[in-house]
Amino acid sequence: MSATRPHSEFGPFVTRHLGPREADVAAMLGVLGYPTLDALIDTVVPEAIRLRKPLALPAALSEAEALAALGAMAHRNQVFRSYLGQGYSACHVPGVIQRNVLENPGWYTAYTPYQPEIAQGRLEALLNFQTMVADLTGLPIANASLLDEATAAAEAMALTLGAAPAHDDPVYLVDELCHPQTIAVVETRAEARGVRVTVGDPSAFSFAPGVVGCLLQYPNTLGAVRDYRGVVEKCHAAKGLVTVATDLLALALLAPPGEWGADIAVGNSQRFGVPLGFGGPHAAFFATRDAYKRLVPGRIIGVSRDADGRPALRMALQTREQHIRREKATSNVCTAQVLLAVMASMYAVYHGPEGIARVAGRVHDYTVRLADGLRGAGFELLSEAFFDTLAFETDAKTAERILAAAVARKINFRAYSATRIGISLDETVTPSDLADLLDVFGADRRAGGVPGEAHWPPTSAAIPKDLRRTSEFLTHPVFRTHRSETEMLRYIRRLEAKDLSLTAAMIPLGSCTMKLNATAEMYPVSWPGFGALHPFAPAGQAEGYRQLFADLEAWLAEITGFAAVSLQPNAGSQGEFAGLLVIRAYHRARGDHHRSVCLIPQSAHGTNPASAVMAGMKVVVVKTDAQGNIDLADLRAQAEAHATNLAALMVTYPSTHGVFEDGIRDVCEIVHRHGGQVYMDGANMNAQVGLCRPGDIGADVCHLNLHKTFCIPHGGGGPGMGPIGVAAHLALHLPASPVGGSVATASGAVSAAPYGSASILPISWAYIAMMGPDGLTEATRYAILSANYIASRLEGHVGTLYTGRNGLIAHECILDFRPFKTAAGIEVEDVAKRLIDFSFHPPTVSFPVAGTLMVEPTESESKEELDRFCDALIAIREEIRQVETSQAAQDDNVLVRAPHTLQQLSADTWTRPYSREQAGFPSPATRIHKVWPTTSRIEGAYGDRNLVCVCPPVEEYSVSGEQ
C-alpha cells in the first residue's frame, strides 16, 4: 500500500472514518522524513511480528448495505411480550430522553469526567442518579454506576469481605431465591477469592463465626415480598453485613432496605427508561452506609467547590482508582455505565416522585388484578405478598398447555421448572395485554375489574402493611420542576452544553482511543429488533442476534489470531477478570492448582493488578528498563524464581509507554517455558489491527475494548464491552452462561446476561463490516502516523519520554512536562487545565508516569485538528517560558489560574497580570469556536474532606445563580 493510495479504493465509509486526506498524509510523512506510509510502518512495527497476509474478513460494505444487513438480522429477532422478570422489565423510554440523550452524540461521545471543569453536565446528571438511588434505597452513599445487578452483588460481597475481620475460611450466605444469574456471578467471584458461598434459606441459616455477610433479594426471584428484619438482626449479631438486591420501581411502594437494616443495596436501574437490549447496557446501582464509603467500588460523584468558591462537582475519593491503588484496589471496575445512568436519572427527573409512584402503582395494580384472575381460575399463588411478579405451581401437563398458549399469542412466561411458572408485569402492560394474559389461563377477563391509574396505597393486601413505604423520595427540586417537555428538553440541553464531547473537539486521551463513532454505526441501537428483546427470551426468538454474535466472534478471532471468542464480558475490566479466570481454569483442569503467581510489568494498566487479585492470583511486579520496555533480565529472574507457581504474565502491547517492544516474542517464550500463560491487555489494539495479531505473537488470551478499537462510544464513561479471545487449548474454559448450559470445564459467569451488553454489539459489527479488511488495516496505519506526527511537531518544545527504533512510537506518545516543574513551578495539571482554555479535552494526566501527558490522536482526526492541538501545546510552552524568564509570576500566571470561565472574563473588574484575551481566547481557533468551562479549577481535596454525594439543597447554588 502506498502512502497516496486513494481513500475510495477502501470503500466509501473508510473515506469518512479516516481524518487526514491523501495530501495531508504526504505532508505528515514529509515532516517525519519518510517517503511512504509503508516505509514508516515498516520502521515502527517489528518485522518479526508482522502479519504477512490480509485479514480474512468480508469485503467492505457501504453504509446502506451494512444497515440493510443489520436490519435483516433485527427482523429475524422475534419481539414477544416478555413477562420473564428476573431483574429485567420492558419500559417506555420517554422520547425526549431517547432523542436527546441516547441518540445524541453530545452525550454519547463524551469521555469519563476526569476533567470536571468541562464535564459539569454529566456530573450533575450522575449526581441526580446517586440521589435517586439513595432516596429509593434509604441509604446515604451511592455510586454512579456499576455494570449490572449480578456484578454489583459480587462487588457488594467484595466490600463485605474487605470490611470484615480476617477469616481463614470466610462464608457468605446467598438467598436461594436470588435471581439465578446473580447467584452464578457471585459464586464465580467468591470462588476466585477463596470465599465459601452457601446458597440456602436465610431464615433457617445459622450465622456462626466466620460468616461475613449475606445477600438477599427483595422482592425475590419468585416475586415474593418478605420481611427480612429477623435475618438482618442475626447477621448483624454475627458482625456480618447485609446486602439486598432490589428493584428501584418496587421501592416506590416498598419500605426501603436502608430503613429495615440493610447495609448495602444493589440492583439494576434498567426499568427506569432504558431498553432491555437483550441484556444491556444498563446502569447497576450500589448504595451503602457512610461507614463504607471508602470501600465503594466504581465512581462516586461528589460536591466540591472551585477556585472562586462556587459549588462544583467532581469524581470524589479518587485515591480508590486502580491506577493508584493497583493490587490494593477494592475493585477492578474502570468503565461505568454513565450514558445509561444518565438516562435512568433523566427518567426520574421526567416523572418526578408522583410520576414514579404512579408508574409503580399502576404496575402493581395490574399485577393484583391478574392475581385475582388466576385465583378465580383455580391457580394458587406461591406468595400472597408481591409487587409485580406472580409465581404458581401446577402439574406438568397444565404448565405445558399454558406456556404453549402464551407462545401462540407471542407471550413469554418464565418457566422456573416443569411445574412452576412466573409472570412479571411492567409499565408497558395495557388493558388489552391483561385481557390476553387472562385468556391464556382461561380466566374471566372481568376479574378484578378494569385496571386504572392506581395510586398508592393500593386497596389490596398484596404488600403487607409493615412493608409499605411511608417515607418521601425524590424530594430535591430537580425532580419536581421539569414537568413540561419544553422544560425537560431545555434541562437536558443545558447540561449537555456544560460538557466537551467529540462533537466539539479532539479528545486526545492516551490509552482510550476516542475515535469516530459514526452515525450509521449507532442507528441499530435504537431499533426494537435489537433493543426490545429480553436477555432470557428463548433462543429461537433471537436468531438475528445469534447471527450477529457468530459473525462478530469469527471476525474478532480472525483479527486477533485466536481460536475462540467470548462476548460475555461487559467491560474491559470484566474482560481482564474473565481472561484470568480462563487461565486459572486451564491450570486447574491440568491439576496445577498451585499456579497462582501473576507477573505484571511496572508499566501495566492499574486494572491489571486489581484484576489479578480478584482472580485469586498473587501479583509479582516485573521491572521496566530505562527505555520503558519490560526488563527481560528481571522477567527471566522472576519467571525462574516463581516457575513452580507461575500462572500468567499480563502484558500490554504496544506497551503502555506507547512503543512496540522488539522483545515481545521473547517475553512470551520466557513465560511459556516456565509453565505460565500470557494474557495480553488489548487496550492498545488500535495499533495492531491488520498489522499483527496477539495470537501470532504468542499471547494465549487477549481482551478487546470494543469501546476503544471497535467504535462503541465511551458514553461519558461507559458503556463498554470487553470480549476475550483465547488460543485453542483454552477454548473449553471460556466463561459459562449465567443461566446454565455450559461445559463443565468452563470458567464461571462474569456478567448477568449471556452476551453482556448485547444491544451495542451491532456498533462494532457495523464498523468492521463497513471498514473491511483493508480499511481496518489502513485505520491502524493512520493512527500510528498521526501519533508520530504529533510527537515530531512537538519536538524541541516538549519531549517524548519513550520511543522505539529510530525515535518512533506506536499509536500514542508520552509527553514529558516534568522539567517545567523545576524550571518554572508549572505542574502537568496546570498544562492540562490550560488546554481547556484552548477548547481541548486534556490528554491522560500522569499515567503511566507522573508529570506527563499521554496523547493518542486516533486515525479519525484530521491534520487540521492535529495541528490545532500541536499549536496549542506549543503556545503553552511559550507561556511556560515566560514564567521561566520571570516575564510572568510563578504563583500568578495564566497556567496556574487556568481554566478561565466566561463569568470571570465578563466580570466588571479584572485584576490579573495577563489580559482577558490571553486568558479566554489564546488562539485564533478559539475566536471562531469556543467551548467554555463552566467552573474554574476545582478543589478536589475539599470535596473529599466534606463528602456530599447527593444533590445538595438548592440554596447552596445561589452563589453561582445555577440550579
Side-chain angles (χ1 to χ4, degrees):
M1 300 179 192
S2 72
T4 57
R5 185 177 174 184
H7 284 175
S8 58
E9 290 188 22
F10 299 101
F13 177 77
V14 178
T15 302
R16 299 294 182 185
H17 181 80
L18 299 176
R21 305 294 88 191
E22 286 84 355
D24 296 330
V25 171
M28 293 161 72
L29 288 167
V31 170
L32 290 166
Y34 285 85
T36 65
L37 189 51
D38 285 341
L40 174 67
I41 299 303
D42 287 344
T43 307
V44 170
V45 185
E47 171 75 17
I49 66 170
R50 286 293 297 274
L51 182 63
R52 293 303 169 190
K53 59 181 181 178
L55 291 170
L57 297 172
L61 300 178
S62 68
E63 291 186 18
E65 290 168 335
L67 288 172
L70 284 168
M73 290 183 208
H75 185 71
R76 292 179 65 198
N77 292 329
Q78 300 178 60
V79 181
F80 281 30
R81 288 171 287 174
S82 286
Y83 304 121
L84 295 164
Q86 210 161 316
Y88 299 93
S89 301
C91 62
H92 293 304
V93 184
V96 67
I97 296 174
Q98 175 161 326
R99 176 62 60 87
N100 295 289
V101 178
L102 177 63
E103 298 173 351
N104 180 356
W107 284 96
Y108 67 67
T109 70
Y111 181 61
T112 304
Y114 287 123
Q115 299 293 336
E117 294 86 357
I118 46 173
Q120 289 295 297
R122 246 168 311 140
L123 289 165
E124 181 172 330
L126 293 177
L127 192 72
N128 293 344
F129 179 86
Q130 291 177 179
T131 304
M132 171 188 80
V133 170
D135 281 6
L136 287 167
T137 61
L139 291 162
I141 301 291
N143 71 3
S145 58
L146 294 180
L147 302 170
D148 58 37
E149 181 170 327
T151 53
E155 295 288 352
M157 182 196 65
L159 185 154
T160 298
L161 191 65
H167 292 286
D168 292 334
D169 183 25
V171 176
Y172 192 71
L173 170 67
V174 176
D175 187 346
E176 62 190 359
L177 294 179
C178 286
H179 296 316
Q181 73 273 18
T182 300
I183 296 174
V185 171
V186 170
E187 286 181 327
T188 297
R189 191 79 65 90
E191 197 275 336
R193 293 292 299 272
V195 178
R196 184 155 49 94
V197 166
T198 297
V199 180
D201 180 356
S203 61
F205 184 76
S206 175
F207 285 86
V211 176
V212 295
C214 66
L215 172 67
L216 311 172
Q217 189 91 42
Y218 173 76
N220 67 29
T221 199
L222 296 177
V225 176
R226 292 189 172 181
D227 189 339
Y228 289 112
R229 290 182 177 92
V231 175
V232 170
E233 289 175 4
K234 289 193 294 181
C235 187
H236 285 167
K239 301 190 183 307
L241 298 187
V242 176
T243 296
V244 175
T246 189
D247 180 324
L248 282 184
L249 190 64
L251 295 183
L253 307 186
L254 299 179
E259 291 182 7
W260 46 260
D263 302 292
I264 305 169
V266 299
N268 187 354
S269 65
Q270 175 266 316
R271 71 189 308 175
F272 273 40
V274 180
L276 286 163
F278 207 51
H282 308 134
F285 61 85
F286 188 109
T288 189
R289 302 196 179 281
D290 185 76
Y292 309 115
K293 62 191 176 187
R294 292 191 178 274
L295 296 175
V296 173
R299 299 166 182 155
I300 297 175
I301 308 308
V303 180
S304 189
R305 66 186 183 190
D306 70 4
D308 296 326
R310 294 182 172 83
L313 308 178
R314 68 180 288 273
M315 292 200 295
L317 304 179
Q318 285 186 303
T319 54
R320 294 177 301 102
E321 290 291 303
Q322 291 76 23
H323 67 271
I324 298 173
R325 298 194 66 184
R326 302 176 73 80
E327 68 270 18
K328 294 182 176 63
T330 55
S331 166
N332 77 333
V333 170
C334 182
T335 304
Q337 299 280 35
V338 169
L339 185 69
L340 299 314
V342 168
M343 290 182 68
S345 75
M346 290 300 182
Y347 181 91
V349 171
Y350 177 88
H351 282 287
E354 299 86 359
I356 297 295
R358 184 169 57 251
V359 171
R362 185 177 181 276
V363 170
H364 183 64
D365 185 49
Y366 273 72
T367 311
V368 168
R369 296 175 192 280
L370 177 60
D372 290 343
L374 293 181
R375 294 190 197 96
F379 295 95
E380 186 175 345
L381 302 179
L382 293 179
S383 175
E384 293 298 325
F386 54 81
F387 167 61
D388 67 352
T389 298
L390 307 174
F392 61 90
E393 197 88 34
T394 186
D395 61 86
K397 186 175 181 180
T398 302
E400 185 178 356
R401 175 182 58 81
I402 290 170
L403 293 172
V407 169
R409 293 173 181 265
K410 292 195 171 184
I411 292 172
N412 290 324
F413 292 154
R414 183 178 174 191
Y416 296 94
S417 67
T419 59
R420 180 175 289 181
I421 293 176
I423 309 168
S424 298
L425 301 190
D426 56 61
E427 72 164 307
T428 69
V429 173
T430 65
S432 170
D433 293 326
L434 182 58
D436 278 353
L437 292 171
L438 293 169
D439 285 348
V440 166
F441 291 95
D444 187 346
R445 282 189 169 205
R446 296 168 296 175
V450 179
E453 293 296 311
H455 296 276
W456 183 251
T459 55
S460 77
I463 297 179
K465 187 174 181 180
D466 58 352
L467 287 177
R468 297 178 185 178
R469 183 171 196 125
T470 57
S471 55
E472 290 188 296
F473 59 91
L474 304 184
T475 57
H476 191 273
V478 72
F479 300 109
R480 295 170 179 260
T481 54
H482 303 93
R483 286 297 159 268
S484 72
E485 181 159 330
T486 300
E487 286 303 312
M488 188 70 200
L489 175 65
R490 288 172 181 164
Y491 181 65
I492 293 172
R493 289 292 187 175
R494 189 159 68 245
L495 295 194
E496 179 192 344
K498 294 182 178 183
D499 286 15
L500 188 152
S501 70
L502 282 174
T503 63
M506 175 171 76
I507 302 180
L509 286 149
S511 192
C512 290
T513 318
M514 300 292 292
K515 63 206 297 179
L516 171 69
N517 311 124
T519 304
E521 296 160 3
M522 300 301 298
Y523 276 144
V525 174
S526 298
W527 293 349
F530 289 123
L533 265 70
H534 192 285
F536 303 122
Q541 294 172 22
E543 290 293 335
Y545 261 125
R546 289 173 66 180
Q547 180 186 340
L548 176 77
F549 299 150
D551 286 349
L552 202 49
E553 287 170 1
W555 295 351
L556 294 176
E558 169 63 17
I559 288 167
T560 58
F562 287 121
V565 169
S566 170
L567 298 172
Q568 187 179 127
N570 54 0
S573 59
Q574 298 304 103
E576 289 184 18
F577 178 56
L580 292 172
L581 288 183
V582 167
I583 291 172
R584 189 172 186 267
Y586 166 75
H587 287 310
R588 291 185 165 228
R590 292 161 54 89
D592 291 340
H593 293 257
H594 55 282
R595 289 194 175 273
S596 61
V597 170
C598 185
L599 303 178
I600 300 181
Q602 286 176 323
S603 60
H605 290 93
T607 53
N608 288 177
S611 295
V613 170
M614 279 177 52
M617 296 183 180
K618 176 186 175 183
V619 174
V620 173
V621 176
V622 177
K623 296 177 183 176
T624 53
D625 62 23
Q627 288 73 45
N629 301 320
I630 294 174
D631 186 325
L632 291 180
D634 189 57
L635 175 63
R636 289 189 185 94
Q638 297 287 9
E640 185 171 342
H642 298 282
T644 302
N645 298 316
L646 182 60
L649 165 80
M650 297 186 80
V651 60
T652 300
Y653 198 75
S655 74
T656 312
H657 292 155
V659 176
F660 280 99
E661 297 185 39
D662 289 318
I664 186 63
R665 284 192 183 275
D666 294 332
V667 167
C668 296
E669 191 275 329
I670 291 168
V671 174
H672 287 151
R673 187 176 355 119
H674 292 88
Q677 298 285 287
V678 175
Y679 176 96
M680 185 171 285
D681 185 319
N684 292 343
M685 194 68 195
N686 208 47
Q688 287 197 53
V689 177
L691 299 181
C692 55
R693 305 193 301 181
D696 298 340
I697 292 170
D700 301 289
V701 186
C702 178
H703 90 268
L704 302 170
N705 296 105
L706 299 189
H707 52 290
K708 295 182 182 181
T709 309
F710 296 97
C711 286
I712 291 175
H714 281 66
M721 279 290 277
I724 57 172
V726 299
H729 65 283
L730 299 179
L732 287 177
H733 307 293
L734 285 170
S737 168
V739 289
S742 296
V743 296
T745 56
S747 53
V750 295
S751 76
Y755 293 94
S757 296
S759 68
I760 55 175
L761 292 176
I763 301 170
S764 295
W765 188 99
Y767 172 67
I768 297 172
M770 293 188 295
M771 291 294 283
D774 289 346
L776 290 170
T777 304
E778 198 71 352
T780 308
R781 288 152 49 92
Y782 271 48
I784 293 171
L785 169 65
S786 294
N788 279 280
Y789 176 70
I790 283 179
S792 181
R793 271 218 59 198
L794 294 176
E795 189 175 351
H797 303 282
V798 183
T800 298
L801 188 57
Y802 298 111
T803 60
R805 287 176 299 149
N806 291 4
L808 297 173
I809 56 173
H811 65 308
E812 62 190 5
C813 57
I814 299 177
L815 302 177
D816 190 2
F817 288 86
R818 294 174 299 178
F820 305 129
K821 181 177 180 179
T822 302
I826 298 298
E827 302 276 0
V828 69
E829 184 181 14
D830 299 325
V831 176
K833 300 306 181 186
R834 181 58 174 151
L835 271 170
I836 294 174
D837 287 330
F838 286 80
S839 290
F840 276 110
H841 193 294
T844 305
V845 178
S846 288
F847 177 81
V849 179
T852 67
L853 293 178
M854 183 160 62
V855 178
E856 181 180 353
T858 88
E859 70 276 9
S860 296
E861 296 299 340
S862 66
K863 179 178 180 294
E864 179 185 20
E865 187 72 351
L866 301 180
D867 284 331
R868 188 171 77 88
F869 176 72
C870 291
D871 291 343
L873 279 178
I874 292 169
I876 290 171
R877 174 63 185 97
E878 290 307 309
E879 291 175 343
I880 295 173
R881 202 182 311 279
Q882 290 179 2
V883 181
E884 291 173 329
T885 58
S886 300
Q887 296 176 62
Q890 193 170 106
D891 60 349
D892 189 7
N893 58 68
V894 73
L895 289 123
V896 299
R897 301 289 290 270
H900 299 83
T901 66
L902 179 60
Q903 189 171 16
Q904 290 173 332
L905 265 68
S906 60
D908 290 340
T909 58
W910 178 263
T911 59
R912 301 189 181 187
Y914 48 88
S915 70
R916 298 180 198 245
E917 183 178 23
Q918 183 186 1
F921 300 97
S923 68
T926 55
R927 298 183 185 92
I928 299 170
H929 175 69
K930 174 78 177 180
V931 178
W932 290 98
T934 52
T935 73
S936 57
R937 195 175 306 190
I938 295 173
E939 299 180 36
Y942 175 86
D944 287 349
R945 290 193 305 270
N946 305 277
L947 184 64
V948 176
C949 66
V950 295
C951 294
V954 71
E955 292 79 16
E956 292 193 17
Y957 289 95
S958 60
V959 175
S960 62
E962 301 247 358
Q963 287 191 3

